[in-house]
Amino acid sequence: MDVATLGAIGTIAVGLATAAGAAYGKRGENRNAAASGAVTGYGQLVNDLQEERDTLRERLADTEQRLIEAYRDLADARAEKSELLSQIHELTGERERLRAEIARLGGHP
């Protein structure tokens, strides 16, 4: 074989080796890109879950505050009701005492 043939064969061999190396490198690059995408997707999922958790915590705090206010309103209403019942009992007693007094004095209530 002459030098030109050996040079051509060498060039072909180098070209094939370069092509094989590029294909192997691209395959690794694709694998890394897929893994990177999975990590990025996982990170986004974690961020979404944390945002949802924070939103739910805010809603919980708001709900608890409204519940406290509702209990306070209920306690006020019960106190007012208790006060009204006390007045009713007092006025009923007064009415009965006045009727008895009128009847004692000989009148018709």
Side-chain angles (χ1 to χ4, degrees):
M1 274 200 215
D2 62 353
V3 176
T5 305
L6 287 176
I9 292 175
T11 302
I12 292 172
V14 168
L16 289 175
T18 302
Y24 182 76
K26 187 64 175 171
R27 188 172 146 212
E29 181 181 319
N30 290 342
R31 188 176 331 120
N32 287 341
S36 175
V39 170
T40 301
Y42 177 75
Q44 182 62 39
L45 177 63
V46 168
N47 289 340
D48 290 347
L49 290 173
Q50 288 175 343
E51 286 179 22
E52 184 175 351
R53 182 190 62 207
D54 292 343
T55 301
L56 291 175
R57 282 182 177 162
E58 289 172 7
R59 286 180 52 197
L60 175 62
D62 180 55
T63 301
E64 286 177 344
Q65 183 61 38
R66 290 177 33 216
L67 183 61
I68 289 169
E69 291 170 5
Y71 274 123
R72 187 178 309 127
D73 291 346
L74 179 61
D76 291 345
R78 284 181 178 169
E80 186 176 317
K81 180 181 176 184
S82 177
E83 188 177 308
L84 289 173
L85 285 173
S86 176
Q87 287 179 0
I88 288 171
H89 290 302
E90 183 181 315
L91 292 171
T92 303
E94 178 71 13
R95 181 185 68 182
E96 294 306 316
R97 189 186 66 74
L98 291 172
R99 284 183 177 202
E101 186 68 23
I102 290 172
R104 188 181 67 80
L105 294 172
H108 188 321

